[in-house]
Amino acid sequence: MSIRVDLDVMMARRKMRLKDLAALVGITEANLSVLKTGKAKAIRFSTLEKLCEILACQPGDILV
């Protein structure tokens, strides 16, 4: 069993660009890209919380 990040799906639903989301969350585009492509090994709860706040979703909508 593995955890998959579906951030790109949620971004598409909200019509949010990587650059804009990174600025709103307060992380670099490179770090957000790593998360979006599923290559990240970890995510801070504060980052996950901010992503959910901005995208108006729950952690289960992003992490599968």
Side-chain angles (χ1 to χ4, degrees):
M1 179 191 234
S2 64
I3 297 173
R4 189 177 78 241
V5 179
D6 276 345
L7 185 57
D8 54 343
V9 172
M10 194 53 64
M11 288 174 61
R13 288 182 183 163
R14 303 295 188 260
K15 295 181 171 69
M16 180 77 62
R17 293 183 2 209
L18 185 81
K19 180 178 182 176
D20 299 329
L21 184 58
L24 290 169
V25 173
I27 62 175
T28 65
E29 289 179 54
N31 284 342
L32 187 57
S33 179
V34 167
L35 183 61
K36 182 178 169 238
T37 59
K39 295 179 182 175
K41 300 292 182 196
I43 182 171
R44 292 177 189 233
F45 285 127
S46 59
T47 301
L48 180 59
E49 182 178 24
K50 191 70 173 175
L51 283 168
C52 289
E53 179 183 316
I54 292 166
L55 295 171
C57 66
Q58 294 294 314
D61 296 327
I62 296 173
L63 303 176
V64 180

